[in-house]
Amino acid sequence: PLTLEVKRQRRAQKHTPARRLTQEQIRPGTPEPVEGRVHVHVQTELYLEEISDRIIEVDGECQTDEFLDRPPTPLFIPAKSGKDVATQIEKGELFDFDIEVKPILEVLVGKTVEQALLEVMEEEELSQLWSHQRAFAELRNAEFAELQRLEEQDRRIREEKERRRLEHLEKLRKQKETAEKIAARAFAQRYLADLIPSVFNNLHDSGFFYDPIERDIETEFLPWLMSEVEEELQKKVLGRTMLDSLIRMVVEKRLDEFSRPPPAAQTKAPADEPGATDGAPKMSGEEDAADQPVAEKEETDQPVAEEEAS
């Protein structure tokens, strides 16, 4: 296994340079820069390094010993060497001023005149350049103003064109909307021609259209009448209930009195029998009186039945 792993590593190391060369050949290179430009290397690594044109400067201080006062350094005068020799030259032996100065003077004057002419020509040329520059600036300003005027005119024309286009589109939209409304109105009229009578008939049958007097009677008068009738009936029922309770109380009281046994003195005395006989008519009268409300009750029941029937 170790030998196989070593062989595989050697084979991979052999193929790595060939693969790298192939990738470099396949990878497209950077084209040559155009005229007047050069390529500049930039950092493309993951960890960038900050590059600064100005070198970082740090101020440092140190203290030196004070210098002691000393006298000024004297001037250096070299020592004299050799021998002094003198030569006497008479006037006119080496240089004749009138003859020798003429060409020098001609050269100086010529050069001065030439320099003056050059300066005058340069000033004239500069003045012409300035005049041409002023004319060019005026022409450029005029062309720039004309360009601005044309741009403004073009902008106004474009805005006017866009506004006209929008107005035309709005006009077409309104015409289309008007045509649709007219068509819808005609369709609605034709569709609702037979629908309106049936709708009104249905509404009339449903009770949406009514007689105000009849509606007033149904909503105002009849509820008031029924409330009054109900109040009267409640009063009559209350009266009958009270009458029934009174009759019941009287009947119960009489029943208690008649069910009570008579005393012994009254049974022995024959003179008390007419009193007992007197009580019988009284009882019959009371029974008649007790029966009378019943008749009145029967009489009062008849109107109630009539009212309930009504």
Side-chain angles (χ1 to χ4, degrees), residues 22-41:
T22 306
Q23 290 179 357
E24 290 179 358
Q25 290 178 357
I26 294 173
R27 182 184 302 170
T30 305
E32 294 295 330
V34 297
E35 184 178 357
R37 296 186 181 181
V38 295
H39 288 316
V40 177
H41 293 285

Side-chain angles (χ1 to χ4, degrees), residues 20-243:
R20 186 179 303 170
L21 181 60
T22 306
Q23 290 179 357
E24 290 179 358
Q25 290 178 357
I26 294 173
R27 182 184 302 170
T30 305
E32 294 295 330
V34 297
E35 184 178 357
R37 296 186 181 181
V38 295
H39 288 316
V40 177
H41 293 285
V42 295
Q43 294 182 1
T44 58
E45 291 80 4
L46 296 178
Y47 302 98
L48 300 179
E49 180 184 356
E50 184 178 359
I51 299 176
S52 177
D53 296 337
R54 183 175 177 273
I55 300 174
I56 299 175
E57 298 178 355
V58 180
D59 295 335
E61 296 180 358
C62 63
Q63 181 66 34
T64 57
D65 297 335
E66 295 181 358
F67 291 99
L68 300 176
D69 295 335
R70 63 183 181 86
T73 303
L75 295 176
F76 175 73
I77 299 175
K80 185 176 181 181
S81 61
K83 295 180 180 180
D84 294 335
V85 179
T87 302
Q88 181 65 32
I89 299 174
E90 298 296 335
K91 183 178 180 181
E93 289 182 356
L94 296 178
F95 181 73
D96 188 359
F97 180 78
D98 294 333
I99 296 173
E100 298 292 339
V101 80
K102 186 175 180 180
I104 298 173
L105 185 60
E106 288 179 355
V107 171
L108 291 175
V109 171
K111 289 292 183 181
T112 304
V113 172
E114 185 179 359
Q115 186 68 26
L117 290 175
L118 289 174
E119 290 180 358
V120 171
M121 291 174 64
E122 184 179 358
E123 289 179 357
E124 290 180 354
E125 186 177 0
L126 288 176
S127 63
Q128 290 180 0
L129 289 174
W130 288 341
S131 63
H132 284 298
Q133 187 175 3
R134 286 194 297 271
F136 176 74
E138 292 177 357
L139 181 61
R140 185 181 62 182
N141 293 333
E143 290 179 353
F144 184 70
E146 183 67 16
L147 178 62
Q148 288 183 345
R149 188 184 66 80
L150 293 176
E151 288 179 354
E152 185 67 21
Q153 183 179 2
D154 187 23
R155 186 184 63 81
R156 288 198 301 270
I157 291 172
R158 282 189 283 103
E159 290 180 355
E160 182 68 19
K161 183 179 178 181
E162 184 68 19
R163 187 176 62 82
R164 294 288 181 85
R165 187 179 68 82
L166 294 177
E167 287 179 356
H168 183 65
L169 292 177
E170 184 68 19
K171 183 178 179 182
L172 292 177
R173 188 184 65 79
K174 288 183 177 180
Q175 288 180 357
K176 183 179 179 181
E177 185 177 357
T178 304
E180 290 178 355
K181 286 183 179 180
I182 292 172
R185 183 172 179 273
F187 177 75
Q189 288 180 353
R190 190 165 50 191
Y191 179 74
L192 296 176
D194 298 333
L195 184 63
I196 292 175
S198 62
V199 170
F200 275 100
N201 292 331
N202 293 331
L203 292 176
H204 188 273
D205 296 337
S206 300
F208 288 95
F209 301 102
Y210 53 84
D211 188 3
I213 299 175
E214 183 180 357
R215 183 63 177 274
D216 191 11
I217 292 173
E218 292 177 354
T219 57
E220 300 293 337
F221 178 71
L222 288 180
W224 173 80
L225 181 60
M226 294 301 294
S227 62
E228 293 293 331
V229 170
E230 185 178 0
E231 187 177 355
E232 291 294 331
L233 291 175
Q234 288 179 357
K235 289 181 180 179
K236 291 183 178 182
V237 169
L238 180 61
R240 287 198 299 271
T241 304
M242 293 179 66
L243 184 60

